[in-house]
Amino acid sequence: MRQSPALMRTHVLIAAALWGASLAAGCTTKAQGQRAATPPLVPVRAAVAQLKRVPNQVSVIGRVEALQTVIVRSQVAGTLQRIHFREGDEVKQGALLFTIDPRPFQAALRQARAQLAKDAAQAHNARVTAARYQTLAKQDLIPREQADNAAASSETFAAAVAADQAAVENARLSLAYCFIHSPIDGRTGNLIVTQGNLIKVNDVALVVINQMTPIAVTFSLPEGRLGAVRDAMARANLVVRARPPGEQRPPAVGRVSFLSNAVDPATGTILLKGTFDNRDRRLWPGQFAEATLILGTEDHVVVPAAAVQAGQSGAFVFVVAPDGTAVNRPVTAGETLGDEVVIERGVAAGEQVVTDGQLRLVPGARVAVQGS
C-alpha cells in the first residue's frame, strides 16, 4: 500500500522525537554517573596549630588544710558560765570565748593574798628580832645560840613569804584561766558543750578553731618530678594555683611553702604544700582542690580544645592536608590551658586542624574550610 506524503512526514517526526528522547536520557545517565564518582565537599571549621610559650605545669588533686588548728580545752574545773560567740563565727586572736564560774578562784586568790600578808608581817617581825638579837649577842648580853635561832626563824618566815607569793600567782593564773580567749584568728566549729555544763580540767574539747587566712593546699607529685621541682625552686619561688573542683572562676594563686624531706616509699610520691591568702574564703579546710604547680615556661604546639577528639585508640585530631582532604592523626595531648590544649606529639605548628564538623568526616574526605 502506498502511503500518503502527510503520513510519511508524521512517521519521520515521531522517529526524530524518539531518537532525541533516547539521546537526552543517555546524557542524563552519564552526568549522574560523573556526579556519583565525585563525592561532595564536607563543610568544616578549622584553626591553625600554633607554637606558643606556655607554662610547664602539672595538675593534681590536693587537699585544703588550715595552717593552724586549735582545740580549745579548759585548764580549770568549774561550771561553764557563759559562751561569748556563736558556732561558725569568725573570731580574732584574744577574743573572749568562754567564761567559767570565777567565784571559787576569786576566793582562793583572796585567801592566798591574806596568807601572804600574814606571813609577810611575821617575817618582818622575825627579821627585826633577828637584827636585835645579833646586836645583843655582839655585846654578850644574850647567848649566841639565841641569836642564831632568831636568824633561822627570820629566814623561815622569808621562805614562807616566797611560797605565799607563788601561791598568789598560781591563784591569779587559775582565775585568768576562767576566761578562755582565742589564741588565733580563725573560724569556730560546732560547740561540744553548752552553757551550764560542769567542765573538767583538759577533758573534752570545747570548740575547734581553724585558721582561714592564710590557708594551705597539700598535694603529692610523682617522685620523677622531684628533680624539676628542686631546679625550679632554686631559680625562684614556685607558683601554685588551686580551685575547688567544678568551679569555673580563675584559680587562686599561691606560693609553694613546703617540700617534704623524703619520698613516701609506699606511694612513690613527694609531698608539697602551697600557701594562699584566701581572703575571699574560696578554699575551705578539708575540701579537695585542683592544684596546678607551675615549673616554668616552655615552647609547645597548642590547638583549640574542640579539635581534640577521643577515639578507641586514644586522642586524635583531623588535620586538613594540602590537597584538601581530612587526615586522622593520633596525638598525645598535654595540659589544657583555658580553651586550648598542648599537643606533645602528633601535630606540627602551622598545620590546620578541624575544630567543628568532625562527626561528618572520614579519613580521606574532601573538606571545605568555612572559617576558623
Side-chain angles (χ1 to χ4, degrees):
M1 177 184 292
R2 189 176 180 178
Q3 296 179 344
S4 65
L7 183 60
M8 292 177 65
R9 286 194 300 271
T10 301
H11 288 167
V12 171
L13 292 174
I14 291 173
L18 291 174
W19 179 81
S22 176
L23 181 61
C27 292
T28 301
T29 303
K30 184 178 180 180
Q32 289 176 346
Q34 291 176 345
R35 287 196 296 270
T38 305
L41 299 177
V42 180
V44 297
R45 293 185 180 274
V48 177
Q50 298 182 355
L51 184 65
K52 289 185 177 181
R53 194 155 190 84
V54 298
N56 177 19
Q57 60 188 32
V58 56
S59 297
V60 294
I61 297 298
R63 175 81 72 173
V64 182
E65 294 181 357
L67 284 179
Q68 294 187 80
T69 297
V70 176
I71 301 174
V72 179
R73 289 186 170 92
S74 176
Q75 294 178 272
V76 294
T79 302
L80 183 57
Q81 191 176 67
R82 188 176 177 186
I83 300 173
H84 300 272
F85 67 97
R86 291 179 299 178
E87 293 176 311
D89 277 355
E90 295 268 355
V91 295
K92 294 292 185 180
Q93 182 177 5
L96 182 60
L97 302 177
F98 302 97
T99 297
I100 295 174
D101 187 3
R103 291 173 296 178
F105 302 95
Q106 291 169 342
L109 178 59
R110 290 194 296 268
Q111 182 179 9
R113 285 173 173 168
Q115 184 65 39
L116 172 61
K118 174 185 175 182
D119 288 345
Q122 291 179 338
H124 175 73
N125 181 62
R127 187 167 55 255
V128 171
T129 301
R132 183 184 307 117
Y133 279 16
Q134 286 293 333
T135 301
L136 295 176
K138 289 178 181 180
Q139 297 174 359
D140 293 329
L141 297 177
I142 60 172
R144 185 67 191 176
E145 182 181 0
Q146 188 174 359
D148 292 340
N149 289 338
S153 177
S154 175
E155 292 176 359
T156 300
F157 280 111
V161 168
D164 292 341
Q165 289 174 337
V168 168
E169 290 299 321
N170 185 60
R172 184 183 292 114
L173 188 60
S174 296
L175 178 60
Y177 286 155
C178 293
F179 305 93
I180 303 175
H181 298 81
S182 175
I184 62 171
D185 293 346
R187 188 180 182 91
T188 60
N190 63 305
L191 282 167
I192 310 301
V193 296
T194 56
Q195 189 169 306
N197 284 178
L198 180 62
I199 306 300
K200 297 180 181 179
V201 176
N202 201 27
D203 185 17
V204 298
L206 304 180
V207 72
V208 177
I209 303 174
N210 281 328
Q211 181 180 346
M212 304 296 290
T213 57
I215 205 165
V217 175
T218 60
F219 57 96
S220 297
L221 297 181
E223 60 180 315
R225 295 274 190 172
L226 178 58
V229 171
R230 293 179 60 191
D231 291 344
M233 291 184 70
R235 293 192 300 268
N237 292 329
L238 284 187
V239 174
V240 59
R241 298 190 178 104
R243 63 181 170 189
E247 191 176 86
Q248 300 302 317
R249 290 189 295 167
V253 179
R255 300 286 179 180
V256 172
S257 57
F258 171 76
L259 173 65
S260 179
N261 61 357
V263 174
D264 187 343
T267 61
T269 58
I270 186 75
L271 181 68
L272 294 93
K273 182 182 296 185
T275 303
F276 298 79
D277 287 340
N278 200 39
R279 298 187 186 280
D280 56 359
R281 305 298 195 274
R282 288 176 62 188
L283 302 175
W284 211 256
Q287 74 176 157
F288 289 105
E290 299 172 356
T292 301
L293 180 63
I294 311 299
L295 297 175
T297 56
E298 293 181 351
D299 290 330
H300 285 286
V301 175
V302 297
V303 300
V308 181
Q309 304 293 303
Q312 293 181 349
S313 300
F316 69 92
V317 299
F318 278 107
V319 176
V320 180
D323 61 358
T325 59
V327 178
N328 185 315
R329 188 83 61 78
V331 296
T332 301
E335 294 292 329
T336 299
L337 307 171
D339 57 355
E340 294 181 323
V341 176
V342 173
I343 301 299
E344 298 179 354
R345 186 170 57 252
V347 176
E351 290 188 301
Q352 268 192 322
V353 295
V354 177
T355 59
D356 187 26
Q358 295 96 327
L359 294 178
R360 299 189 295 271
L361 290 180
V362 294
R366 298 175 65 245
V367 300
V369 179
Q370 295 184 336
S372 57

